Amino acid sequence: MMSNLFSIFDPSTNILNLSINWLSTFLGLLFLPCSFWFIPNRHFIMWKFILLKLHNEFKTLLKNNYFQGSTFIFISLFSFVLFNNFLGLFPYIFTSTSHLSLSLSISLPLWLSFMLYGWINNYQHMFIHMIPQGTPTILMPFMVLIETISNIIRPGTLAVRLTANMIAGHLLMTLLSNMGSIIPSYLIIFLILIQILLLILESAVAIIQSYVIAILSTLYSSEVN
């Protein structure tokens, strides 16, 4: 039963023994034609409003480390994850963000670049950051160990958080849809209502998880300067 449930996340479309399901990662580009960017409309105005809000928030978090265009990478990260999360809610579209291979490919390079930049250019600040101000001398070795471990697991926690949330929602929706053939017909309407509510919840989760991974990446970036 469990293998059947988790098989919904397996790439299943193959051409010449190559999986093309991962191409769905770039399907978001098809929904943004050139006219979207140049002809003002309500969708363009709404999306521009969201991006400006994110830009201002990321700019505040970066503080003195902000320079022109530095928020672009985090806004792009938010948009990329958001499109993939939403596309995964549609039937027969591969959910790429439910795989650690993608989420870890996003979080690990970001974390490595932040750590390398921090240790190469601001190594004194990185050492100071390991021991919070006011820490007793006897606890300093333990604090260094704890801070080191917490830094090392950051890319893993970012990746697992995104993947686990996507998997949990899709598994629950799959379980509910499989119940349609075993429950009485007069309960079908209640099952449909529950699935609609769950779909709304999953849409909110898709937005929240996109925001979380972008905001945490911004915070990690601000810590290395």
Side-chain angles (χ1 to χ4, degrees):
M1 179 63 177
M2 293 304 294
S3 61
N4 292 334
L5 280 177
F6 283 96
S7 64
I8 63 174
F9 301 103
D10 295 337
S12 57
T13 304
N14 293 282
I15 295 180
L16 300 176
N17 294 323
L18 297 174
S19 175
I20 64 171
N21 294 80
W22 293 101
L23 293 178
S24 64
T25 305
F26 306 101
L27 276 178
L29 299 176
L30 301 178
F31 294 92
L32 299 176
C34 294
S35 59
F36 175 88
W37 301 107
F38 300 109
I39 302 177
N41 53 58
R42 59 182 180 178
H43 303 295
F44 172 82
I45 294 172
M46 181 182 69
W47 185 245
K48 184 178 180 181
F49 174 79
I50 294 173
L51 295 185
L52 285 176
K53 284 290 184 181
L54 289 173
H55 168 74
N56 292 330
E57 185 165 353
F58 294 158
K59 182 179 178 180
T60 302
L61 291 175
L62 291 172
K63 298 177 183 178
N64 297 328
N65 306 323
Y66 170 77
F67 57 90
Q68 189 69 30
S70 60
T71 61
F72 180 75
I73 184 173
F74 304 111
I75 293 175
S76 301
L77 175 63
F78 170 83
S79 305
F80 177 79
V81 176
L82 180 65
F83 280 128
N84 281 280
N85 288 351
F86 263 119
L87 287 174
L89 297 176
F90 290 90
Y92 305 109
I93 296 183
F94 179 65
T95 312
S96 56
T97 49
S98 64
H99 288 256
L100 274 175
S101 54
L102 176 69
S103 54
L104 199 59
S105 298
I106 295 173
S107 60
L108 186 58
L110 282 174
W111 176 81
L112 280 175
S113 61
F114 297 154
M115 288 297 101
L116 288 174
Y117 177 84
W119 284 106
I120 293 173
N121 297 285
N122 302 298
Y123 63 91
Q124 291 183 343
H125 171 76
M126 298 296 288
F127 275 118
I128 293 173
H129 185 69
M130 285 188 171
I131 303 176
Q133 188 175 6
T135 302
T137 305
I138 193 172
L139 294 179
M140 286 183 179
F142 299 101
M143 293 303 299
V144 171
L145 179 62
I146 292 172
E147 288 295 327
T148 302
I149 294 174
S150 67
N151 275 329
I152 292 175
I153 65 174
R154 278 180 175 180
T157 55
L158 277 179
V160 171
R161 181 187 292 110
L162 175 61
T163 301
N165 278 279
M166 292 297 103
I167 288 177
H170 284 70
L171 284 180
L172 189 55
M173 293 177 68
T174 303
L175 284 171
L176 286 175
S177 62
N178 290 338
M179 290 176 59
S181 59
I182 61 176
I183 64 173
S185 57
Y186 61 86
L187 293 178
I188 292 294
I189 184 64
F190 296 104
L191 180 63
I192 294 175
L193 290 175
I194 292 173
Q195 286 185 317
I196 291 174
L197 292 175
L198 184 59
L199 185 61
I200 295 173
L201 176 63
E202 281 302 299
S203 300
V205 170
I207 299 173
I208 292 170
Q209 289 306 313
S210 307
Y211 177 77
V212 166
I213 193 172
I215 205 75
L216 288 178
S217 299
T218 307
L219 289 173
Y220 296 161
S221 172
S222 65
E223 289 181 0
V224 300
N225 284 313

